[in-house]
Every structure is written in C-alpha cells, then in structure tokens.
Amino acid sequence: MSWITIVWSMNAAACLTLAGIYLLVWCKQRQNWAHLLFSFTAVATAAIAAFESAMMHAETIGQYEALLRWIHVPVWVLVISFVSFVRLYLHAGRRWLAWSICCLRTLVLILNFVFTPNLNFRHITSLRQFSWGGGEIISVPVGVANPWGLLSSVSLLLLLIFFVDATITVWRRGDRRRALVVGGSMIFGAILAWHVPLVIWGIIDIPFFLCFTYSGIVAAMAYELSYDVLHAAQLARQLQASEAELRETEQRMQLAASAAELGMWMWDIARNEIWITDKGRALFGFAPSEKLDFDRFRSALHPEDRESVHQAVENSLRTGAEYESEYRAVLPDGEVRWIAGRGHVEFNGDGQPVRMRGASVDITKRKQAEELAARQRNEMAHLSRVTMLGELSGSIAHELNLPLTAILCNAQAAQRILANGQVDRTELREILNEVISENKRACEVIRRLRLWLKKGEARQDSVRINKVVQDVLKLIHSDLVNQKVIVNCELARNLPAVTGDPVQLQQVLVNLVVNACDAMADCNTPERRLLIRTGTGNGNGNGAVLVSVTDRGGSIPEEKMEQIFEPFFTTKAKGMGLGLSVCHSIIAVHRGKLWATNNADCGATFHFSLPIGIRGTAVPISSNGQLDDHA
Amino acid sequence: MTTPSPTVFVVDDYAPVRRSISRVLHAAGFAVAAFASAEEFLAQYDPRTLGCLVLLELQDILAKAGSVLPIIFLTGTADIPKSVQAMKHGASDFLTKPVNDEDLLSAVRVAFEKNRSVRQQQTELSEILARLATLTPREREVLEYVVTGKLNKQIAGDLGTVEQTVKVHRARVMQKMRVRSVAELVRLTQRCGISAR
C-alpha cells in the first residue's frame, strides 16, 4: 500500500472520527446546530476523500466518469454546510450571497445529473496513469471540459468572496482569533480548491486533493468548536464553584435566619403554594410535611387579625409596596403567638405578581414588654389623674355641693310647705322638677369623676377634640372661677376625629390648663386670661389635629424648654413634677407631639398635635393574648 | 313712709340653689329677696331694711359697700383660710353646703336678732350723740374733766376759773345729757367714744 492510499484514508478516518464525536455532542445538546453542521461537513469531507481515492484508482473511463458525477453530492453537502456554518456560527456573511451560493450549487448538482457523463467533462477521452510523488500509479482524466462546468467555478468564486467578506466582518467585530483560524482556513481552502478546474482544463497535471483543502477547514472548525466546548467546560466549573458558593451563602443565610429565629417563606402566587423553612413551620405550628397555601396560612391566624393581614397582602400585591404586618397566630395547642411578617412581591414582565418572598419572626416577647410598658404607663397616668383630682378636690366638691344643696333645700322646703298645711301644688311640682334635674346634674359630675378615676387599659376610641375641651372646662369650671381665670376658646369647626383614649386626652388638657392657671396666679385679675385653640395642621408629615393652651403668665427659660417634660422637673412648691412628663408620654403613645413656645408679649403656649384617624401603637393585650373588650 | 319688714337677702349666681334656699326660708315664714349677684342686691337694697344676708360665695364688693346687714356665709368647703377671710368680712355665721334647714333658720334668727340689737344700739348711740351736740364747747370741756372723776375745785384749777362756774357747767351738762349721776354720764360717754382728759 502506498502513502497516497494511507494519507487519503487517514484523512477520511480523521474526518469521520470528528464527525462522530460532534454528532454525539449535538445529540446531547440539540440546540447547538453548529455541531450538527460540523458533522455534515466532516462526513462530506470524508466522503470526498473516499471518492478521490477511488478516482485515483479507477481502471476504466466509465468508472471515473461515474465517480466524478457522484462526488458532486458530498461537495454540495459540504458547500451548503460551510455557508450555513458561517451564517449560524460566525454570524457573518451576506445573506444574498449565501442564498446565491446555495442555489447555484444546487443548480450545479442538478445539471451534473442532467449532463452525460457529468458537469465537468463533455467526455473523457482517456485516463492518464502515472506514478506521483514516488507513490503508486494513479489515474488522471484527459478529455473535453464541459463549458457548463464554469458554473461550478463561479460558485467556487462566490464562496471565496463570501468567506472573505465574512472573515472581514468577524475581524472587524474584534473576534480576531476566529477570523484568523476559521475565516483564514476557509479562504485558504477556497483558493486551493481552484486546482480542480485547472486539472479539468488540463492546465496542471495532478490528482484531485479537494479533501485536503477542505479537511484543513474541518480541522479549523473542530479547533474552534473544541475551544467552545472547553470554554463551556470552564464555565461549568465556574458555575459549580459559584453554586458551591451559593450553597454556602444559603447555609450562612439559614444560620443567620435560625439565629435570628426567622422563618423564611416564599409564596408562589399562580400555583398558590407556600414554601417555608422548618423554623417557619414551627413558628406557625404547621406539620413538617403539610402542604401549605394561602388559605392554610390564613386559617392559622387569630380570627380578629385575619382581615388586617389579608388587607396588607392585598395592598402589597396591588401596589408592589413592601408587605409588613403584625398579627397573632393561634397554634394547634391553642397558644397565641405574636408574629411580625415582612416581605416583598416579585412581578413578571406584564406587571402581574408572581411570587412573594419574606420572613416572619416571633415578637411575642416584645409585645409582652410593650404591654407591660403600656400597663405601667396607664398606671402612671392613672396615678397622675388621682393626684390631680386631689388638687382639684375643692372645686369638684363644689360641683357636687351645688346640686346637693339645691336638692336638700328643695326637699326641706317641701316638708315645711306640707307642714304649714297650705299646699301650693304648682310650687310642689316645681320643687320636684328641680330636685330631679339637680340630681341628674350631680350624677353627671359623678359619672365624669368615675371616668376620670377609672383604672384600666388605654382605649382606642374615635375622639372629637372639641368635646374633650368642653368636658375639661366642665370638670374644672369651679377651679377656674375660684382662681378668677377667664377662658376663651377658639374651637375650629368640623375637625376630623382622632383615635385615642378620651380620658387620657382630657388629662393632658387639664394638666395644661391647671399649669397655665398656676402660671398666672401672680398676675392681676384682669390679666388672668387663658386661650384654648383647636385646629388642623401638619404633624410628622401627616394631617393632624392641633390643640394649644396659651396663658399670660411668665415665660419659660429657653434652656428649660425640653427639661420641663422630664419627670420630677417642677417649679411648684407642692408639685411632684410628674404632670407634664405623663402628658408627654400620653401624647407620644397617641403618635402625637407635645411642645411649648413662649409668646411674643407674655406667657407661654403649650401645643399638642394628634395624627388624624391613626391608631396608636399600643394595642392592649392581656396576659392570655386576647384583645381586651371595652364594650 | 313705713319701714320695710325684716327680710332675708339671698345672693347666689346658681339659680336652683338660690331658689331652693328662698323656698325654705319662705316656708319658714321669712320675707325673702333673692339676687343673682352682689351688684344686683346693692342696687335694690334699702338701707333701712332689717334682716340678714345669705351669701353663697364670698364677695368682696359687699364688704366694700359697708353693709350693716349681718352676713351668713354658705360655702362648699369650710377650710381655715376661707373661714378667716369670711370672719374678716364680718360674717355672722359660717355654714357649709349642703345646709340643713334648721341650721340655716337658726343662723338666720340669730342674725335677725343681732341685726335688731345692732339697730337698737345704733338708735341709742345717735340719741346720745344728739344730746352731746347740744353742749357748748365749755360744757363739753367740763364734761371731759367730770368723767375722769375730778372734783369741781380741781377742774376749776385746771381750767383757770372759779369753782362756782364749774358747778353751773356741770349741772347744765347733767341736764342736757339727761343723766342723774356721774356714773351714768361715764357710761354714755364711753359708748360714744369720748375719752377722758
């Protein structure tokens, strides 16, 4: 066997091997069409090598003609594959040129089977046999070239132009390695392929070695593809590394979450499935394998909190705002647990909510501490009210004495009228009417006192602030009269309601009014004027109701403006110095603000603001976690 | 013109209390006049009227007006500063609300009695003053010496005159003052505040 047979066979074998490998690769990754195209190219090159080898060993002209005709089939496959590869893999080459080449080559293939013996020759006159390069004897055709064979040459020329154009594009794109390796080998191959027409036209006298010109391209393509495969493997390694890192991050997250006692969750909205960590399951008392959806979550909530949580979720889904809510969950054993949940919604391209991720945490201890603080605050407020009542006892006794005196005198007058024997029925009726109305008045005083002295949780009522002002003025009316203080009120009409405890708000106002009166104790009687104003304004950025109490006493030294709200700060001989600090904490719990300013002429003004309609922070809970019922 | 009958004047700004106290007093047989304020009372008060004043709150204006009526204070709290203040304003009695009718009525009776005796004393006093006014300056001078218990001779010595002249003046003084003894004269002069020389 001579070297020629060995070299051509090895070429074919190498191409087939590569074709096999990349066909397998393509089978694994179907979306990568470049691999399939490469396989076609390699198979076609192997086929060309086989045909060329056979042609060299052809014995008769008939054999040679038939082989030359059929070699057009792998060449056609090869050209189509090349063009497709350049378009699909290199993303280069002009489309019209690509189509022209494909059509022309197909035309060449068809014409090849139309003409006899083939497209290249009108007829082959003889086979010249000679020994080439010290190898075995080979055959080279001698005959009349078919002028239609020029079409094949044109297609080859177009292919060359197509390759050059594509290479320039790739080069300019900056992908120089690809341009050099793939583009360069293709241009080189297309130039070398010109030996075929030269042989046919009898200009040179060598066997066809098309398989080598193309196997160079195949090798370049294989190198390029393997580079890609290597690159993919590298990416896969990196991905693995980053996955490991991700796992570690996840573990760290889990560690952090479990350290913070966080229950992480994710709600797939479309499928209505909730995934939650084991910690989260324990938090809500869900069984470890239980399937969870939104309704199951809702059923774990305290009945009174279901609506508010639902609203918070709805709001987040609608507006995309962060979900935030504090609620109670009832565990299967009946234990009530306070939980704070936070999360955010993820939307798809159409703006539809897809899923919600978040975390929940047990805040029972915090709530209990808050509850304790609220209780102590309420007790403090109560104590302060009791103290204040002691100070006001004289005027309260007076308020009670008035109706009691009227009742007693009326009743005794009635006795005397009856004893006198001259009964005036009209007068008796008047006496009884007055007894009843005075009794009601006394009851009203007692009712106010009871409210004032009532010990208990702060209420969350809707409060009209003007009503509070009027109630306070009734409560301390006598005190104001005794101290000869004239009160002017400027109450704004149609004030929105605020949420809070009416008695505690009264307490604040009584404190401010009593302080104002004390501040004016040394003033001349006509100067003892007090102004109470209500209105609306801005408090902490939101709408608020404002109340102010203006006196005409002394002013507050600037350096003590803040100090006056501290506990045990007092300027009075008898005072404990708790009044204003209690007021300050009451207003703070109502999410409002209490502050003082000095007036331009004389005296000081105390202001407080209360947000409109917002519930306070303190939700009263008792030790069993039930909301207190004030009804 | 007849003197008005003795009346209890009730002053308070709270109508039900004012009315009910008036009713009790009226039922007990007193003439009652009620006023919502001290100003209203002073505008209508006839100084000749006997009686007393029932005040439910201390009112400076009455003290300033110098009413001769005894005042009964009815107050909610009987604390010491208030009581002292009331007494300074010439309170006849000091009661706490709610008041029992018997306490009120007896206080009113006491006040009436007091008022009557004060009026009587005032009448007597004005009579003595009228008698004093009839004395000549010399007789008045002699009077002031007589009430110290000095003898005529001593008085004459002090005044630089003779005993006989002093004797005549003394007789005129006794006559004009309508007294029979020096002791009686001393009592009268003490009542109208004439000091001895």
Side-chain angles (χ1 to χ4, degrees):
Chain A
M1 202 183 281
S2 84
W3 66 270
I4 293 176
T5 311
I6 293 170
V7 166
W8 256 257
S9 310
M10 274 173 61
N11 187 345
C15 286
L16 279 177
T17 310
L18 284 173
I21 291 168
Y22 280 95
L23 193 65
L24 262 175
V25 172
W26 176 77
C27 285
K28 300 280 179 195
Q29 294 179 324
R30 297 283 174 103
Q31 77 278 15
N32 220 336
W33 288 101
H35 291 153
L36 185 66
L37 283 174
F38 173 79
S39 293
F40 283 153
T41 313
V43 168
T45 309
I48 289 169
F51 273 106
E52 279 175 352
S53 180
M55 277 151 71
M56 278 189 275
H57 295 99
E59 298 285 323
T60 63
I61 293 171
Q63 265 182 350
Y64 201 97
E65 281 173 350
L67 287 168
L68 192 57
R69 182 177 243 181
W70 284 101
I71 200 172
H72 276 273
V73 176
V75 170
W76 177 81
V77 171
L78 194 73
V79 170
I80 301 293
S81 302
F82 276 157
V83 171
S84 309
F85 187 84
V86 169
R87 290 281 309 162
L88 289 177
Y89 182 75
L90 294 182
H91 303 290
R94 282 159 217 269
R95 187 191 289 261
W96 65 269
L97 212 48
W99 279 112
S100 306
I101 293 164
C102 290
C103 292
L104 195 59
R105 200 68 225 180
T106 311
L107 183 67
V108 166
L109 185 68
I110 293 166
L111 288 176
N112 176 52
F113 283 95
V114 171
F115 290 113
T116 320
N118 51 52
L119 187 79
N120 302 94
F121 288 97
R122 271 225 183 115
H123 54 261
I124 296 172
T125 48
S126 63
L127 290 177
R128 208 170 62 81
Q129 293 183 319
F130 62 98
S131 169
W132 189 60
E136 61 212 86
I137 305 293
I138 54 159
S139 304
V140 179
V142 180
V144 182
N146 189 341
W148 286 96
L150 276 173
L151 277 179
S152 174
S153 304
V154 171
S155 80
L156 190 60
L157 187 65
L158 286 181
L159 192 65
L160 180 62
I161 295 166
F162 178 73
F163 283 158
V164 170
D165 173 56
T167 306
I168 291 170
T169 308
V170 175
W171 179 272
R172 282 197 182 149
R173 208 156 58 196
D175 209 348
R176 307 218 161 157
R177 183 182 47 77
R178 251 184 210 173
L180 274 178
V181 175
V182 183
S185 71
M186 280 177 164
I187 293 168
F188 184 69
I191 291 170
L192 277 185
W194 279 96
H195 76 274
V196 175
L198 294 180
V199 168
I200 290 170
W201 292 331
I203 297 168
I204 51 170
D205 211 13
I206 50 164
F208 294 131
F209 59 96
L210 212 51
C211 65
F212 286 97
T213 62
Y214 291 147
S215 61
I217 302 176
V218 168
M221 282 163 74
Y223 170 74
E224 190 56 38
L225 287 177
S226 71
Y227 196 84
D228 275 2
V229 171
L230 277 174
H231 190 62
Q234 209 172 355
L235 274 181
R237 263 201 309 281
Q238 279 174 2
L239 194 66
Q240 235 173 2
S242 65
E243 262 178 1
E245 210 169 294
L246 194 68
R247 261 199 302 280
E248 201 173 317
T249 309
E250 209 167 272
Q251 278 172 349
R252 273 203 295 266
M253 270 282 276
Q254 271 183 1
L255 191 69
S258 81
E261 311 230 308
L262 280 172
M264 321 274 279
W265 47 261
M266 200 270 282
W267 175 32
D268 186 322
I269 294 164
R271 275 186 280 179
N272 191 16
E273 280 175 7
I274 295 178
W275 168 89
I276 185 164
T277 57
D278 293 344
K279 180 78 210 164
R281 281 181 186 271
L283 198 60
F284 288 94
F286 295 136
S289 56
E290 196 180 350
K291 231 175 136 67
L292 299 174
D293 58 16
F294 189 75
D295 285 336
R296 176 67 186 91
F297 162 69
R298 204 168 176 273
S299 72
L301 303 183
H302 191 286
E304 285 171 20
D305 293 350
R306 281 176 194 162
E307 196 46 45
S308 66
V309 170
H310 202 112
Q311 276 176 4
V313 171
E314 288 273 299
N315 181 52
S316 294
L317 293 184
R318 208 173 49 245
T319 64
E322 287 286 301
Y323 157 73
E324 204 173 323
S325 142
E326 286 183 6
Y327 50 83
R328 286 160 294 170
V330 184
L331 272 58
D333 62 3
E335 186 194 335
V336 173
R337 196 174 267 176
W338 273 95
I339 290 172
R342 265 167 177 268
H344 73 268
V345 186
E346 290 168 20
F347 294 88
N348 65 10
D350 304 331
Q352 289 294 314
V354 183
R355 65 183 77 81
M356 199 164 163
R357 287 176 207 276
S360 300
V361 66
D362 186 342
I363 53 163
T364 309
K365 277 185 191 146
R366 195 191 86 200
K367 280 285 174 186
Q368 278 169 353
E370 274 178 8
E371 178 212 344
L372 186 68
R375 203 157 47 211
Q376 284 171 348
R377 203 163 43 227
N378 289 335
E379 275 172 16
M380 195 67 218
H382 177 253
L383 193 68
S384 165
R385 281 204 298 279
V386 172
T387 314
M388 214 184 307
L389 201 65
E391 288 166 21
L392 295 173
S393 65
S395 50
I396 289 158
H398 178 78
E399 286 292 309
L400 268 178
N401 264 329
L402 283 180
L404 288 180
T405 305
I407 291 167
L408 184 63
C409 289
N410 270 322
Q412 288 175 337
Q415 277 182 336
R416 281 179 186 277
I417 289 167
L418 288 172
N420 289 347
Q422 303 158 322
V423 178
D424 180 347
R425 284 178 158 272
T426 320
E427 195 178 8
L428 274 183
R429 197 170 298 123
E430 271 174 23
I431 286 174
L432 288 175
N433 284 342
E434 216 161 84
V435 165
I436 291 167
S437 69
E438 287 307 292
N439 203 309
K440 283 181 181 161
R441 185 187 154 111
C443 288
E444 180 61 23
V445 173
I446 289 166
R447 194 189 63 82
R448 278 206 300 270
L449 276 183
R450 279 179 55 141
L451 267 183
W452 185 256
L453 285 178
K454 198 179 167 196
K455 200 172 174 179
E457 312 290 353
R459 297 171 60 142
Q460 295 277 315
D461 293 351
S462 178
V463 181
R464 298 274 167 194
I465 210 75
N466 286 350
K467 176 86 168 47
V468 172
V469 174
Q470 283 152 2
D471 284 349
V472 162
L473 291 180
K474 273 184 204 161
L475 194 72
I476 58 172
H477 168 78
S478 310
D479 208 51
L480 295 170
V481 170
N482 271 348
Q483 300 200 40
K484 301 185 171 61
V485 173
I486 296 160
V487 179
N488 292 316
C489 287
E490 288 177 14
L491 307 182
R493 284 159 181 247
N494 302 327
L495 277 183
V498 296
T499 304
D501 186 297
V503 172
Q504 289 195 352
L505 292 177
Q506 279 182 24
Q507 178 177 1
V508 172
L509 202 57
V510 168
N511 241 305
L512 298 184
V513 171
V514 167
N515 280 351
C517 291
D518 290 348
M520 295 191 290
D522 298 333
C523 298
N524 293 326
T525 315
E527 278 294 302
R528 289 186 202 163
R529 274 177 302 162
L530 192 70
L531 176 62
I532 301 178
R533 265 203 201 120
T534 59
T536 50
N538 248 335
N540 298 339
N542 292 313
V545 170
L546 297 180
V547 183
S548 68
V549 178
T550 305
D551 65 50
R552 302 188 59 79
S555 39
I556 306 162
E558 282 301 327
E559 69 272 14
K560 290 191 175 159
M561 273 292 179
E562 296 295 322
Q563 222 183 325
I564 53 175
F565 297 110
E566 287 169 13
F568 305 113
F569 177 87
T570 184
T571 54
K572 297 178 197 170
K574 284 190 286 182
M576 283 259 285
L578 285 177
L580 274 182
S581 82
V582 169
C583 291
H584 200 258
S585 78
I586 288 174
I587 294 296
V589 169
H590 285 78
R591 293 199 175 178
K593 209 183 142 203
L594 172 65
W595 72 101
T597 54
N598 281 321
N599 303 333
D601 46 356
C602 68
T605 301
F606 281 80
H607 316 256
F608 64 87
S609 66
L610 294 167
I612 295 165
I614 295 176
R615 289 176 76 92
T617 45
V619 179
I621 49 167
S622 55
S623 49
N624 63 359
Q626 299 292 317
L627 267 175
D628 268 6
D629 189 359
H630 291 293
Chain B
M1 195 175 150
T2 55
T3 315
S5 57
T7 307
V8 185
F9 297 97
V10 180
V11 178
D12 188 45
D13 59 349
Y14 186 55
V17 168
R18 196 165 67 228
R19 277 200 300 269
S20 63
I21 287 180
S22 303
R23 281 194 190 109
V24 168
L25 293 168
H26 190 255
F30 290 99
V32 185
F35 303 93
S37 69
E39 290 87 344
E40 207 178 295
F41 161 69
L42 288 174
Q44 293 188 14
Y45 176 58
D46 177 353
R48 291 175 302 163
T49 319
L50 283 176
C52 74
L53 191 59
V54 177
L55 276 186
L56 283 105
E57 279 308 323
L58 204 55
Q59 310 207 30
D60 298 339
I61 195 159
L62 285 182
K64 283 176 198 156
S67 167
V68 289
L69 289 177
I71 300 173
I72 298 165
F73 280 111
L74 259 178
T75 138
T77 47
D79 56 0
I80 293 170
K82 261 195 174 167
S83 315
V84 170
Q85 210 186 347
M87 289 308 169
K88 275 187 183 165
H89 283 81
S92 155
D93 212 335
F94 193 82
L95 302 173
T96 54
K97 281 186 287 187
V99 66
N100 197 37
D101 58 348
E102 282 306 333
D103 298 342
L104 179 64
L105 290 174
S106 66
V108 168
R109 282 190 202 103
V110 169
F112 265 43
E113 192 49 51
K114 220 180 259 177
N115 190 217
R116 208 174 356 255
S117 70
V118 166
R119 281 297 167 94
Q120 206 174 339
Q121 282 171 13
Q122 278 177 344
T123 317
E124 284 170 17
L125 190 65
S126 52
E127 202 176 312
I128 295 163
L129 289 173
R131 287 178 206 164
L132 270 176
T134 60
L135 300 182
T136 63
R138 194 62 175 180
E139 285 165 359
R140 170 89 185 228
E141 219 172 350
V142 171
L143 170 80
E144 286 166 12
Y145 281 98
V146 169
V147 292
T148 60
K150 284 186 177 169
L151 299 173
N152 288 348
K153 204 189 319 187
Q154 288 170 308
I155 298 170
D158 287 352
L159 291 175
T161 181
V162 291
E163 194 184 343
Q164 190 55 41
T165 315
V166 173
K167 206 172 179 178
V168 172
H169 281 311
R170 179 193 282 252
R172 284 230 186 96
V173 166
M174 301 292 271
Q175 189 200 354
K176 281 184 178 170
M177 294 305 287
R178 297 181 200 169
V179 290
R180 286 189 204 109
S181 64
V182 173
E184 222 173 321
L185 187 67
V186 167
R187 196 175 56 83
L188 287 188
T189 53
Q190 269 175 349
R191 278 188 67 182
C192 58
I194 291 172
S195 54
R197 290 224 171 167

